[in-house]
């Protein structure tokens, strides 16, 4: 699989967007998924670049999270903004990464992303609980790169 279009169907994309909405009902954190064909740099470095291109640092509490996937490169990364990293332990994203990896290894990309998103929402809830009147500061739509 080398094309972004072949990674997920439109229906699967909508299921992932729904999972983001569900996860964000538990936390004030903001979660986005970005999918592109490949990366020539370390996936975490590319995740940081995309994070800033999407202006995800614009959240009030600096609690945005990007799950970055490079399809052809078969790599992914999770990056959380400054507000998150100042509050959480260094191994904070490990369970979310492990959840995604276990599904990806079996070719179950949609479920890996859904379970990873829901896990991230649960983890973020401890540090960034949902507050009454919280607004959705970032789009839940999947962003697609080259």
């Amino acid at each position: 699989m080398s094309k972004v279009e072949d990674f997920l169907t439109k229906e699967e994309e909508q299921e992932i967007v729904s999972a983001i909405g569900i996860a964000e009902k538990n936390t004030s954190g903001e979660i986005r998924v970005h999918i592109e064909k490949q990366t020539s740099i370390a996936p975490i470095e590319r995740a940081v670049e995309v994070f800033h291109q999407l202006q995800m640092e614009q959240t009030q509490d600096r609690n945005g999270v990007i799950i970055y996937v490079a399809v052809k490169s078969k790599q992914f990364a999770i990056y959380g903004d400054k507000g998150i990293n100042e509050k959480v332990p260094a191994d904070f994203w490990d369970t979310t990464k492990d959840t995604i990896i276990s599904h990806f290894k079996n070719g179950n990309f949609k479920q890996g992303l859904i379970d990873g998103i829901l896990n991230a929402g649960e983890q973020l809830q401890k540090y960034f609980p949902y507050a009454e009147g919280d607004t959705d500061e970032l789009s839940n739509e999947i962003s697609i790169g080259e």
Side-chain angles (χ1 to χ4, degrees), residues 7-59:
F7 187 64
L8 299 168
T9 66
K10 289 292 176 200
E11 293 78 21
E12 289 172 330
E13 286 182 19
Q14 285 310 307
E15 289 180 59
I16 290 165
V17 170
S18 295
I20 292 171
I22 291 165
E24 289 181 354
K25 287 197 183 331
N26 297 321
T27 178
S28 63
E30 296 286 334
I31 302 168
R32 289 208 65 184
V33 172
H34 180 83
I35 300 170
E36 61 187 23
K37 185 174 178 181
Q38 61 189 3
T39 180
S40 58
I41 60 176
I44 190 66
E45 289 177 33
R46 181 65 183 136
V48 172
E49 284 180 0
V50 172
F51 185 92
H52 292 295
Q53 286 171 358
L54 296 173
Q55 299 182 327
M56 291 182 64
E57 72 280 358
Q58 302 292 323
T59 60

Side-chain angles (χ1 to χ4, degrees), residues 1-138:
M1 174 181 333
S2 59
K3 289 186 185 162
V4 175
E5 312 79 72
D6 297 336
F7 187 64
L8 299 168
T9 66
K10 289 292 176 200
E11 293 78 21
E12 289 172 330
E13 286 182 19
Q14 285 310 307
E15 289 180 59
I16 290 165
V17 170
S18 295
I20 292 171
I22 291 165
E24 289 181 354
K25 287 197 183 331
N26 297 321
T27 178
S28 63
E30 296 286 334
I31 302 168
R32 289 208 65 184
V33 172
H34 180 83
I35 300 170
E36 61 187 23
K37 185 174 178 181
Q38 61 189 3
T39 180
S40 58
I41 60 176
I44 190 66
E45 289 177 33
R46 181 65 183 136
V48 172
E49 284 180 0
V50 172
F51 185 92
H52 292 295
Q53 286 171 358
L54 296 173
Q55 299 182 327
M56 291 182 64
E57 72 280 358
Q58 302 292 323
T59 60
Q60 180 178 330
D61 295 326
R62 299 289 305 265
N63 58 353
V65 176
I66 190 165
I67 299 175
Y68 167 83
V69 181
V71 176
K72 187 175 180 183
S73 304
K74 295 184 178 177
Q75 296 180 306
F76 80 97
I78 302 171
Y79 175 73
D81 202 359
K82 178 180 167 185
I84 294 171
N85 293 332
E86 289 174 347
K87 290 186 174 187
V88 303
D91 64 353
F92 181 73
W93 295 114
D94 288 355
T95 58
T96 302
K97 282 188 218 166
D98 292 345
T99 298
I100 293 171
I101 287 170
S102 69
H103 286 292
F104 277 21
K105 280 183 178 174
N106 296 320
N108 199 344
F109 305 113
K110 176 198 78 168
Q111 201 58 50
L113 289 170
I114 288 173
D115 289 357
I117 290 162
L118 296 175
N119 183 279
E122 287 173 22
Q123 298 298 317
L124 286 169
Q125 183 179 16
K126 298 170 190 159
Y127 298 91
F128 297 94
Y130 179 83
E132 192 63 41
D134 181 50
T135 58
D136 198 354
E137 296 178 85
L138 299 174

